[in-house]
Amino acid sequence: MRIVLMGPPGAGKGTQATVIAEALAIPHISTGAIFRANVGEGTELGRKAKEFMDRGEYVPDEVVNDMVADRIAQPDTGNGFLLDGYPRTEAQVAELNRMLAEAGIPLDRAVEITADTEEVVQRLLKRAEIEGRADDTEDVIRRRLEVYAAETEPLSRLYSEQGLLVRVDGMGSVSEVSERILAVLRG
Ligand code: B4P
């Protein structure tokens, strides 16, 4: 299965992607996690990404697209993949469509996790206490939510028109949300 997982910061993308990828035995590809690993290792990609991430802005499309093209060309994606946090802009949707068409493989589902704004802010502030992520301060969280609303929320219409979109309520416990997502993917 080839799945795209969307949703505002804090809706539970990374959390749910881990569970779903394991349940479906497909690789979990998180663009955010790849950037954070590169920041941690001090690579050129990490240096480029950090200046945008720390402000709550998106990393430029061409940087993200090249990174995803390399990742989905790896041999472990033969049975599919779960893309967590990509695509996030119209240009990224177009590029993903192009990559998949070139490889002759379709996308099966775009799952959008929804959640209340104040709930996601609280979740991310709680994560800040535990993990200390540079982009989990209240100002940056609010900026990330604005960028999501402007750039990424409109993409659900594109996937809806392609008949691929399913919306899942992200409120409730982690396991309740996982069950909802697996039910729509398996149904
Ligand atoms: P991401 O790593 O994708 O960060 P995120 O949107 O905050 O989601 P994440 O998956 O980490 O959090 P989750 O909701 O699971 O992106 C970070 C940055 O990288 C972006 O801002 C951007 O700068 C850059 N980037 C990444 N992809 C890009 C792209 N395609 N284009 C351009 N730039 C890109 O979890 C949040 C918290 O909630 C956790 O602490 C979790 O434990 C908790 N939680 C989850 N579910 C819960 C539940 N049901 N109940 C209670 N708590 C819950």
Side-chain angles (χ1 to χ4, degrees):
M1 260 198 145
R2 292 173 203 91
I3 305 162
V4 160
L5 193 61
M6 300 162 60
K13 289 185 302 294
T15 309
Q16 296 300 334
T18 307
V19 178
I20 295 154
E22 196 184 325
L24 301 178
I26 51 177
H28 167 196
I29 302 175
S30 160
T31 43
I34 299 174
F35 286 135
R36 280 187 292 280
N38 276 274
V39 171
E41 288 159 15
T43 67
E44 176 63 16
L45 176 65
R47 195 192 53 71
K48 264 190 218 162
K50 185 172 166 38
E51 63 176 292
F52 296 95
M53 293 171 81
D54 284 355
R55 295 199 308 262
E57 306 290 338
Y58 285 166
V59 177
D61 287 330
E62 57 280 12
V63 176
V64 192
N65 287 334
D66 286 352
M67 188 177 87
V68 172
D70 279 353
R71 180 62 188 87
I72 67 176
Q74 300 297 313
D76 65 341
T77 61
N79 287 329
F81 49 75
L82 174 58
L83 283 172
D84 159 13
Y86 179 92
R88 268 172 148 107
T89 65
E90 273 199 44
Q92 292 180 17
V93 172
E95 187 56 20
L96 178 62
N97 285 344
R98 196 198 59 73
M99 285 179 223
L100 294 176
E102 199 177 88
I105 48 178
L107 190 67
D108 296 296
R109 281 276 179 273
V111 179
E112 182 183 25
I113 308 178
T114 60
D116 297 347
T117 300
E118 286 316 309
E119 164 77 12
V120 303
V121 172
Q122 291 314 314
R123 286 182 187 177
L124 295 172
L125 289 174
K126 191 167 159 200
R127 179 169 71 185
E129 283 172 21
I130 301 163
E131 294 180 18
R133 244 171 75 169
D135 59 348
D136 278 345
T137 62
E138 183 147 8
D139 286 353
V140 177
I141 292 167
R142 301 242 177 235
R143 180 64 193 141
R144 286 158 62 200
L145 288 166
E146 281 172 10
V147 173
Y148 182 83
E151 302 272 343
T152 308
E153 221 163 59
L155 306 185
S156 53
R157 185 182 48 80
L158 298 180
Y159 283 120
S160 175
E161 284 167 4
Q162 293 178 43
L164 297 178
L165 184 73
V166 283
R167 276 205 177 91
V168 174
D169 180 6
M171 302 292 283
S173 71
V174 169
S175 59
E176 282 167 347
V177 180
S178 307
E179 279 170 27
R180 286 178 204 140
I181 298 174
L182 286 169
V184 294
L185 291 175
R186 287 175 168 150

